[in-house]
Each structure stands twice: as structure tokens, then as C-alpha cells.
Amino acid sequence: MRGFSVGLITEGYNPDNVGGINTWVQQLIMAFPYVDFTMINITSKNKLSHTQFPSNVKKYLEIPLWSHKDEMTVYDRDDGLYEISINDSNCYNKELLSIKFYKHLENKYGSIYDIRKSFLDALKTIIITEFGEENIDVIHTSNAGLAGFVGVHLKQLLKKPLIVSEHGLHIREWKLRLSSKFFPSEIEFPEHIKQLNFRRTYKDALNINRDIVSFVYRNADNILPVTSTHIPTEISLGADPMKIQVINNGLTIPNEENNSCENNTENDCIKIATLARVNPIKNLELLIDVARILVEESNKYEFHIAGPIEDYDYFKELISRIEQYNLENKVIFHGIIYDRNWLQDKDLMLLTSLSEGQPYAVIEALLQDLPVVSTSVGDIPNMVNNRECVVEGFSADKLASRVKHVFVARKKIRYGDKYKFSMDRFRKNMENIYKSWL
């Protein structure tokens, strides 16, 4: 596959962070040092990354999600991708590729959202100027949302196959976003858009995202969910079942000699780890409620949360909850952790998410033989493969009870085949997909 070139389109990727889509991109690039990657990243941030990429990343371009007006000077263009959409949907499915669709947006909302020119014109300019000189063999997107949307345009303009990976289900996560009281701050709307009445816009946003996802599924040549639990939704939105193949995420398995995660004795502090970005979808208020229950019973418990702060309003509410429960010394936020050895002195992984695909946090725990207790979301029940460690619903009492089961009963939790999530298997499966388009 030397000389093979991938046009990689991502949404919300942060080269400076780890976990989730960030880890997936890093693992994909590392898995194929002999493949060239040209990247477009759709971001809501107005801060460019200064990360040094590996030599096989030939080009990296960030496109802003919003036109941030005065904040846009950091970019070389005025236009951002437009996400909140129109109330009438007569031009969605058949016309998403057409200039008519974007002109409709511009005419309807241009004065409100500061759309300087139609997105399609902007996208064509980007493709011609940034991708025109690149010899792309396949287009690979990180989701079926806006990244997939851009991927379909690239497919049509470059006449190349489109591969769509899917981690969390884009449409499900948008439903959760829209129901959150932190919306729209959680996805960093510009201030001039935050001031609008979002009551009707919630419905509009969900409609456009559903139709974009359906549009992407119908135009994809390969659809690669990380879990079979995604497949019914994908098919219901128009995906061809023959084009769907599950490919698990993968990580390098730690050296067995250095893998020393063991349950502590009853005289030791019990350290509970959570790898999660500070975002409402991770439901960290539930984790704090679990901490309150367990600390009231025993002062041994400590809760350590590692991950970037994505939503500061949400973070401030979590801190207030911690202070209300007097847990300041028991629930600790560590920010971004790059050292995989960070888990080695921890005794259990606790996840309280509202939605997941196939989280790297669980994979990391499995590869280090660390017990996991989690809400029953995404592929976690299949990954953990132990009913005693997965809780249906979002009950703090039930989660606390499962945590105690691991330590009070001193029961070492064993899992299935952790090699299912190895980097070697991930590389082999992805290589077969890429080779099919040679």
C-alpha cells in the first residue's frame, strides 16, 4: 500500500487532546506510516492547533463551523460551515449537493448568521485549492454528520470512494445535545447566535442532522461502525446493509510485565478512575452522586477524572455539586492525561455516560485488566462481558452497589478476549478496507 493516499475528514478532532475521536485519528495515522493522509478538520474552535503531525500527514486544514465575525481573523477565510438549518425540508435529501440548497440557507438566514457566501462555493474553493494537487485514493470520514457531509461532496467532485467510520451515532448524540440545558453553549455557538430563540431551532437542527446522516449513508461506499448496536439505526436511515462492516477500535496492548493494575487491600485507598471529556453527554453529575454515596459509607474512596474541559458552564455546575457534597478532596479533575501509565495505580474504571460507541476508556481498562463499572450504553455491555458490572438506566445507587461488589466481595472481574481491541486487529481490518479500493 505504499503510495496510497487518504483524504481524512474529521469533525471535532483536537490534535492536542486524547480520547474518543482524537485517539482514533492518532491511532489510524500511526497504524499506517506508509499511507499519506491529507486532512480536513471541521471545528467549532477559533484557535488553530500547533501540533506537529507525523510525516505521513501531508496537509492539515481546519475549517471553522461558525463564522465568528470579529474572531475569525485567525483564519484565512470568512466563511464557516452552517449547522442550524431551515424549517422547511423540501430540499434536503435530493438537493444537499446543489447550489439551490445553500442559496436557500443564505437567503433565509444570511442576515442573522453572517453567511458571507454559500457553503458549496466555499467548499469547492477549498477542494480546488487545498486538495486539487493531492492524489487522493479514498475519502475517509470520522462520522456520518458534517464530516460525512463534506466527504460526499469530495466524493462527487473527486470521483473517489467514500468510507464512513462511525463511533457514537451522530443522530443519537445530537438528540442528547438538543435536550441538554447547556445547549447551545456546549457546542460553542458564537455570541450573536446564542441570543436567538432556540425553541424552534431545536427541531430544525434535529431535522437537518437526520437528513444529513441519511444523505451520507446513502452515498457511502463503506460504512464502518465500531459496534453492531449501531446497525439497526444505520439501516433505518438508508444505509445499504451490504456496505456495513463492524471494525472495533484498537490500542497497543501494554507490556504484560508492566501491567500491574490490581485490586487494593482493605487498608488502602480505593482509587476510581474516569476517562471522559467534561461534556454533558458524559453525565458526570451522576458520577458525583455515586461518589457521595460511597464516601458517606467509607472514606477510602477517591474519584479521579481525566479529560479535557469542553463545556465550562457544565464544569462550573459540577464543581458546585462537588462543593455541595463536601467532596473537594474526593473528586479530582486532572485535565488531559497523556501517560497511559496513569491507570496503573487505579482500582476500577467508572463510566456514567448517556451515550457511547465503543469508548477507548473501556478498551484502555480492559487492556490493563482493570475492572469496569458502567452504565449500559453503546457497545459497553459486549466489551465488559459481565452483567454484574453494567447498570441499566442511570441510578447512582445501583452504580455504587456494583462498585462495592468489586471491592467488598474482593471479586476480581475477568473479561473476554481483550485482543479483540488490539492495534494489530484494527490495522488489519482497516488495511483490508483500503486495499479493496486499490
Side-chain angles (χ1 to χ4, degrees):
M1 286 183 60
R2 290 190 182 279
F4 193 75
S5 182
V6 175
L8 183 61
I9 317 299
T10 60
E11 178 183 348
Y13 167 58
N14 186 336
D16 302 316
N17 287 352
V18 294
I21 181 62
N22 309 307
T23 296
W24 180 80
V25 171
Q26 293 155 13
Q27 296 298 311
L28 180 67
I29 292 169
M30 288 171 51
F32 297 99
Y34 43 83
V35 170
D36 292 339
F37 290 90
T38 300
M39 293 182 61
I40 288 179
N41 181 38
I42 303 162
T43 175
S44 63
K45 311 289 185 184
N46 64 327
K47 179 181 178 182
L48 292 172
S49 170
H50 300 289
T51 296
Q52 293 295 314
F53 288 95
S55 60
N56 58 329
V57 177
K58 300 304 181 183
K59 188 174 291 187
Y60 174 79
L61 173 70
E62 289 187 346
I63 309 176
L65 180 65
W66 301 111
S67 180
H68 282 264
K69 291 189 172 179
D70 295 339
E71 299 175 0
M72 288 302 297
T73 54
V74 69
Y75 295 100
D76 293 328
R77 55 181 58 84
D78 292 331
D79 40 285
L81 294 183
Y82 181 73
E83 194 165 29
I84 299 294
S85 186
I86 51 184
N87 191 35
D88 49 320
S89 59
N90 61 341
C91 63
Y92 282 172
N93 288 333
K94 293 184 179 179
E95 310 243 7
L96 282 174
L97 277 171
S98 72
I99 292 177
K100 175 183 174 184
F101 177 82
Y102 300 98
K103 290 300 182 185
H104 191 100
L105 289 180
E106 188 173 28
N107 292 337
K108 187 172 178 109
Y109 289 126
S111 61
I112 300 175
Y113 293 100
D114 190 31
I115 298 174
R116 311 289 175 86
K117 58 182 178 179
S118 75
F119 165 66
L120 185 60
D121 290 340
L123 180 60
K124 283 184 176 179
T125 301
I126 291 166
I127 292 171
I128 291 169
T129 59
E130 302 291 347
F131 273 57
E133 299 178 358
E134 304 296 331
N135 183 24
I136 304 297
D137 293 300
V138 299
I139 301 146
H140 191 173
T141 73
S142 66
N143 67 21
L146 288 179
F149 188 49
V150 173
V152 174
H153 286 78
L154 283 167
K155 172 182 176 175
Q156 297 293 333
L157 291 167
L158 301 180
K159 309 300 181 186
K160 298 296 182 181
L162 173 62
I163 301 167
V164 177
S165 286
E166 189 146 49
H167 305 273
L169 277 171
H170 185 83
I171 189 64
R172 180 191 299 155
E173 295 192 352
W174 256 95
K175 286 180 180 178
L176 290 168
R177 279 196 183 110
L178 293 170
S179 65
S180 169
K181 67 179 179 180
F182 296 99
F183 182 88
S185 64
E186 182 257 319
I187 55 173
E188 300 197 17
F189 283 64
E191 286 300 323
H192 65 290
I193 294 179
K194 286 183 184 181
Q195 307 306 317
L196 301 176
N197 183 345
F198 275 85
R199 187 165 297 174
R200 192 185 68 179
T201 312
Y202 289 156
K203 180 180 178 182
D204 296 344
L206 189 57
N207 284 341
I208 182 83
N209 276 279
R210 181 182 293 108
D211 287 316
I212 284 177
V213 167
S214 176
F215 172 72
V216 172
Y217 287 156
R218 288 183 287 106
N219 283 276
D221 297 290
N222 297 106
I223 300 170
L224 310 178
V226 295
T227 167
S228 60
T229 61
H230 289 358
I231 294 176
T233 300
E234 291 167 342
I235 293 174
S236 72
L237 290 173
D240 182 347
M242 300 301 294
K243 295 180 179 180
I244 299 175
Q245 178 181 335
V246 174
I247 294 186
N248 293 309
N249 289 326
L251 288 172
T252 303
I253 297 176
N255 187 312
E256 296 289 348
E257 293 181 0
N258 297 326
N259 186 7
S260 59
C261 291
E262 295 290 342
N263 288 354
N264 281 320
T265 67
E266 62 179 9
N267 294 320
D268 290 332
C269 171
I270 297 174
K271 295 183 178 180
I272 297 176
T274 297
L275 299 178
R277 62 189 192 273
V278 180
N279 182 299
I281 205 168
K282 298 303 181 180
N283 201 17
L284 295 175
E285 61 268 35
L286 177 58
L287 183 145
I288 295 169
D289 290 344
V290 173
R292 177 183 59 81
I293 293 170
L294 291 174
V295 171
E296 283 180 355
E297 294 187 14
S298 172
N299 201 41
K300 296 180 189 177
Y301 290 99
E302 290 181 2
F303 294 78
H304 298 266
I305 304 167
I309 300 172
E310 291 187 346
D311 186 328
Y312 279 91
D313 289 341
Y314 181 58
F315 178 62
K316 286 188 285 188
E317 180 160 301
L318 295 176
I319 294 299
S320 295
R321 200 182 194 95
I322 290 169
E323 292 172 348
Q324 177 187 347
Y325 295 155
N326 297 315
L327 294 173
E328 293 92 331
N329 297 322
K330 291 297 182 179
V331 179
I332 303 161
F333 288 92
H334 293 267
I336 302 170
I337 298 293
Y338 296 98
D339 184 6
R340 290 184 70 186
N341 293 327
W342 184 76
L343 288 177
Q344 287 193 357
D345 69 339
K346 307 303 186 295
D347 303 293
L348 180 138
M349 177 76 71
L350 175 62
L351 296 180
T352 54
S353 300
L354 296 172
S355 178
E356 290 284 359
Q358 191 177 75
Y360 280 100
V362 175
I363 296 175
E364 197 74 72
L366 296 180
L367 295 182
Q368 300 199 36
D369 292 326
L370 191 66
V372 177
V373 172
S374 174
T375 49
S376 181
V377 292
D379 198 39
I380 293 176
N382 297 325
M383 299 171 74
V384 173
N385 196 26
N386 190 315
R387 290 188 203 172
E388 298 175 343
C389 293
V390 177
V391 172
E392 297 289 342
F394 304 98
S395 165
D397 288 324
K398 289 182 179 179
L399 284 166
S401 176
R402 300 297 166 87
V403 171
K404 287 189 293 182
H405 174 76
V406 173
F407 296 107
V408 175
R410 310 247 184 120
K411 183 174 181 179
K412 178 69 176 179
I413 305 298
R414 294 293 180 184
Y415 303 102
D417 180 16
K418 68 181 179 181
Y419 296 97
K420 175 181 178 181
F421 307 106
S422 71
M423 173 61 83
D424 287 342
R425 183 169 289 190
F426 171 75
R427 181 189 297 110
K428 181 179 179 180
N429 288 335
M430 278 307 314
E431 186 173 54
N432 289 338
I433 294 293
Y434 286 160
K435 279 184 175 179
S436 70
W437 296 109
L438 284 173

